[in-house]
Amino acid sequence: MPRRPGPTHRTWCCGRRPRSCGSTGGDGHVAALDAAGLDPVESLVSFAAVGAARPEVFASRGWSAAEWGAARDRLTARGLLEADGTATAEGRALRAEVERRTDESAAGPWAVLGAQDLERLAELLGPLWVAAIGSGLLPSETTLGIGKV
């Protein structure tokens, strides 16, 4: 992402990058999905299955209904989804492991701060986060699962 002047842009980048992008451009998340044996469409189907967002919200990702259905069938065959498309206990555990590995791969910048600096960062960013959520400018449901999982 190119740098733009201004505190809003810098705050967005600092708050978003460590987990979503970090120094590896999201490779940690892709690696965690790969380690879980999830292909790109399966990763979205399984994310929807744990309640991150309704499947319809993921239409913006460009997968056809046939591709989505085939991925759902594969995940059901692996015991990760129920017949109704919701995650089984095994499916929820797999997604939790993907998120844990993703967080772990992005932990470096946070580890160097230490407890006191992390607390201060939370103090500073908390009101901005509350204001952003309360602004009504963010969609109520996204493919990122923010506030859902």
Side-chain angles (χ1 to χ4, degrees), residues 39-80:
D39 68 28
V41 67
E42 290 170 348
S43 71
L44 297 177
V45 172
S46 66
F47 201 41
V50 297
R54 294 172 295 113
E56 299 80 21
V57 175
F58 292 91
S60 65
R61 298 298 180 98
W63 298 103
S64 70
E67 291 167 318
W68 189 273
R72 188 173 158 174
D73 290 346
R74 291 190 302 274
L75 293 172
T76 301
R78 287 175 57 190
L80 301 173

Side-chain angles (χ1 to χ4, degrees), residues 42-129:
E42 290 170 348
S43 71
L44 297 177
V45 172
S46 66
F47 201 41
V50 297
R54 294 172 295 113
E56 299 80 21
V57 175
F58 292 91
S60 65
R61 298 298 180 98
W63 298 103
S64 70
E67 291 167 318
W68 189 273
R72 188 173 158 174
D73 290 346
R74 291 190 302 274
L75 293 172
T76 301
R78 287 175 57 190
L80 301 173
L81 296 185
E82 301 286 358
D84 67 0
T86 58
T88 62
E90 186 180 344
R92 286 189 301 279
L94 184 71
R95 281 307 309 201
E97 178 63 11
V98 166
E99 297 305 319
R100 186 198 64 75
R101 284 179 178 228
T102 300
D103 289 348
E104 187 177 86
S105 73
W110 306 111
V112 299
L113 288 177
Q116 186 175 353
D117 289 338
L118 283 173
E119 184 63 34
R120 179 66 178 139
L121 182 62
E123 273 178 34
L124 293 170
L125 293 180
L128 295 172
W129 177 245

Side-chain angles (χ1 to χ4, degrees), residues 11-56:
T11 301
W12 171 258
C13 289
C14 290
R16 180 180 179 276
R17 283 189 175 185
R19 185 178 192 277
S20 301
C21 300
S23 61
T24 61
D27 291 345
H29 189 59
V30 173
L33 292 165
D34 186 56
L38 296 172
D39 68 28
V41 67
E42 290 170 348
S43 71
L44 297 177
V45 172
S46 66
F47 201 41
V50 297
R54 294 172 295 113
E56 299 80 21

